[in-house]
Amino acid sequence: MHLVMFDIDGTLTETMKVDEECFVRSFKDVFGFADIDTDWSHYPRTTDSGIFHDVFTSRIGRTPTAQEVSRFRRHFIQLLAAASSQSPFAPVAGADRLLSRLAQGGSHRVSLATGGWRDSARLKMATAGMCFDDHPAASADDALDRGVHYETFQTESSRTLWRVVCLHRVCW
């Protein structure tokens, strides 16, 4: 049995640009933060929760409260929803068919591992014609560090004798 693990942005959905724009705008709208470094490789934890935590802590000098995280997330999702209502998010060419084929076949299981928050991933996939909740998933809700997602699925797969294949920003 093969476990095929998909990222969302740029792998299943064409949402990298809109995600970045909405994320940066949320910092400005909610906290007044400008000049956000959008080279995500500069951050030690490349998940929405990790980047939010690092930017907030560096600007304010303390860890964000649960209420501050919630306000930011709500605004971010509102911006994504508004963007998708103006122009629905597209799937990466062939991604929806590949997910469907793998899920229906007997030799592969599909999982999702995204650095985005679960609610944003769910919205992106839904507007691109795919269902996030059809597959086991790990997201920025589960850990600040993306590496934990892969470790979680790899640990689980070793118990069930699955071979893990990770797909991240791939063209079909």
Side-chain angles (χ1 to χ4, degrees), residues 11-130:
T11 302
L12 295 177
T13 62
E14 296 287 359
T15 51
M16 290 184 67
K17 183 178 180 199
V18 69
D19 182 83
E20 178 179 301
E21 291 168 353
C22 292
F23 200 76
V24 169
R25 183 169 163 204
S26 292
F27 275 120
K28 178 74 171 153
D29 293 352
V30 177
F31 300 109
F33 300 168
D35 302 319
I36 303 297
D37 182 2
T38 57
D39 182 345
W40 309 124
S41 69
H42 291 167
Y43 296 90
R45 300 171 294 200
T46 56
T47 63
D48 286 355
S49 54
I51 293 168
F52 173 78
H53 182 273
D54 292 342
V55 170
F56 186 93
T57 301
S58 71
R59 301 286 176 103
I60 302 295
R62 64 170 172 81
T63 302
T65 65
Q67 184 181 29
E68 289 164 330
V69 174
S70 180
R71 270 190 349 184
F72 181 87
R73 283 180 64 160
R74 275 194 315 270
H75 191 70
F76 174 58
I77 296 304
Q78 288 171 350
L79 292 177
L80 281 174
S84 72
S85 69
Q86 291 177 1
S87 178
F89 302 143
V92 168
D96 49 347
R97 288 186 310 278
L98 178 61
L99 270 185
S100 179
R101 273 194 181 153
L102 290 173
Q104 291 173 4
S107 62
H108 294 86
R109 299 283 288 202
V110 171
S111 65
L112 306 171
T114 178
W117 280 305
R118 190 172 301 274
D119 43 2
S120 66
R122 187 175 284 119
L123 171 67
K124 292 171 197 173
M125 286 187 69
T127 60
M130 295 173 273

Side-chain angles (χ1 to χ4, degrees), residues 8 110-114 118 121 132-133 135-139 142 149 152-153:
I8 309 287
V110 171
S111 65
L112 306 171
T114 178
R118 190 172 301 274
F132 179 86
D133 294 317
H135 312 285
S139 70
D142 302 311
H149 302 157
T152 300
F153 282 118

